[in-house]
Structure formats: structure tokens, C-alpha cells
Amino acid sequence: MDASTKVVSFEMNSMSSRDQYILLRDTVMPRPIAWVSTIDAENGFNLAPYSFFNVICAKPPLLGFSVGPAYEDFEAATPGAKDTLANLRIVPELVINLVPEFLLEPMALSSDPLPYGENEFDHAGLLPVASTHVKPPRVEGAPVAFECRLHQLLHLGSHHLVLAEVIFVHVHEELYVGAANGVHRVNLLKNEQTRLLSRLDRANYGLLRQTVLRLRKDAPGQS
């Protein structure tokens, strides 16, 4: 595109919260997916996907994802809290699982609006695996699972930003390359079926099929 390209422009503060959300969702992509497991006061399991997600900091190691209201609650004065938020306020621990292609269907099923306390692992036909340091389980088959403790919960308008400190990491053995110069290396591109899904617009998801290598002169150790 060049300077003469015609555009359609939007004044964000003239749009409803729902319309703002849809515009951002449909334009900022691809987005990685955090598949978050938590537990409630009765040690019941909850599992839900969030695509407003990324790495936030390396020291301390923080991952962040944003939890918004239910779609029908966007314009509500006091939208109800999603199960993930409710659980984190009770037990401030979580596992952030990464979603491989072959688990697309159960991941989608885990986003179904079940009543609070119902088990998404059972609903989606998934096997929970006991974590090492936190109470919530990880997802069997996830290529990477980050055991985390809640670092901070920030209320940002209609959303809550969850900052989770990673304390333990599980990587599928086939995807672990080994240690080079004391640095652990992981290759999530190795197998197509365990490559990660990304969220696109609406109900569309991205499959990772092509990559481009572009080395930087000022960044050693990129191979």
C-alpha cells in the first residue's frame, strides 16, 4: 500500500465497548492462546482459553493475559466475573498451557459457557495431569505448560490483566533440543501436530505452516 491508499477510519470513543472489542479482536492477529487451568475453593478444576495473551517480562518471568466480560455483558455496568478470575481470587495459582493444533476441538469446547464449578476437563474429554508446585493441573498433550503463581491482577476498564509469574515449566520431551552453552532450547516447530494454534478474527484460527529466517547482525546465537 502507498500514501494514496483509501482507508476507513474510526473514532474509538464514539463506539460501544462491544464494537471496540470486535475491532481490536479482528485486527490484532495472530494472537497466541493461553489455555488457563485454575481451581476453586472445593478443588474443582476450571479450564479456559484466552487469546489476549503474551510474554510480559523475563526477570521476573511473567506471562500476561487479559480476561474480559462475557460477550453479552460488555455493556453491563457490573459484568459478572469469569470463572478464571473468581478462582484466582480464591487460589492465586494457575497453569498456562499452550495449545497445539491437534487439541483445537477440546480447546474450543473448554470455552463453552458451563455453570460455575463444572469441570471443563471432563466436558472436553481432556486428561488433567498433577502439577509439581501449584494446585491446578496441566493439560495432558500440551507441548508446553507453565506452572504459575499470581503476580498481580490489574483492573483495566472492562477487562482484568492477569500477570502470572512462571515458577516451573513442562516441555514435551520430543520438542526439547537440549542445553547449548547452558541455555535450554526448545523447538516448537519440529512437529506439525504440536505446532501452536493462533487466534485470528471471529472463529478463525491460524495453523503455522511457513516461517522465514531473518538473522540480525547484532544478535548472536540465533541459530
Side-chain angles (χ1 to χ4, degrees):
M1 294 192 298
D2 55 36
S4 63
T5 301
K6 294 182 179 180
V7 300
V8 178
S9 304
F10 303 92
E11 189 73 54
M12 291 296 280
N13 63 13
S14 68
M15 302 168 68
S16 69
S17 297
R18 182 184 290 108
D19 288 345
Q20 290 174 346
Y21 161 75
I22 292 172
L23 181 61
L24 293 172
R25 180 203 65 186
D26 289 357
T27 53
V28 180
M29 61 171 172
R31 301 187 304 278
I33 301 169
W35 208 5
V36 181
S37 54
T38 56
I39 63 170
D40 60 27
E42 306 300 324
N43 292 319
F45 299 158
N46 180 264
L47 183 66
Y50 296 92
S51 68
F52 285 22
F53 162 60
N54 221 306
V55 179
I56 303 300
C57 182
K59 187 178 181 181
L62 299 178
L63 302 177
F65 63 95
S66 177
V67 182
Y71 187 77
E72 62 273 11
D73 282 352
F74 257 100
E75 308 303 330
T78 55
K82 286 190 173 179
D83 296 354
T84 300
L85 280 183
N87 286 350
L88 286 173
R89 288 170 172 148
I90 299 168
V91 180
E93 298 178 347
L94 61 158
V95 178
I96 296 177
N97 305 271
L98 301 185
V99 186
E101 291 182 12
F102 78 94
L103 291 179
L104 168 60
E105 184 60 24
M107 181 276 296
L109 286 173
S110 72
S111 68
D112 287 348
L114 304 182
Y116 182 71
E118 287 202 18
N119 188 332
E120 282 82 5
F121 282 89
D122 291 343
H123 177 70
L126 293 163
L127 178 65
V129 180
S131 295
T132 303
H133 294 292
V134 299
K135 294 178 181 178
R138 56 190 173 92
V139 175
E140 171 67 27
V144 181
F146 302 97
E147 295 188 19
C148 304
R149 294 196 179 101
L150 181 63
H151 178 78
Q152 195 171 3
L153 184 61
L154 300 175
H155 186 192
L156 303 174
S158 62
H159 284 56
H160 286 79
L161 176 62
V162 178
L163 297 178
E165 182 170 358
V166 179
I167 61 171
F168 204 70
V169 184
H170 302 272
V171 178
H172 195 292
E173 185 177 34
E174 292 183 1
L175 306 177
Y176 177 61
V177 176
N181 299 320
V183 178
H184 295 290
R185 300 300 299 272
V186 175
N187 182 6
L188 294 184
L189 302 177
K190 186 176 181 181
N191 301 321
E192 280 193 359
Q193 288 300 300
T194 54
R195 289 183 181 181
L196 302 182
L197 284 171
S198 62
R199 180 76 186 274
L200 305 177
D201 62 336
R202 301 175 179 84
N204 293 309
Y205 293 86
L207 305 181
L208 186 54
R209 286 292 179 268
Q210 183 177 0
T211 63
V212 177
L213 179 65
R214 174 59 171 88
L215 301 177
R216 288 172 43 188
K217 294 180 180 179
D218 61 341
Q222 299 178 96
S223 60

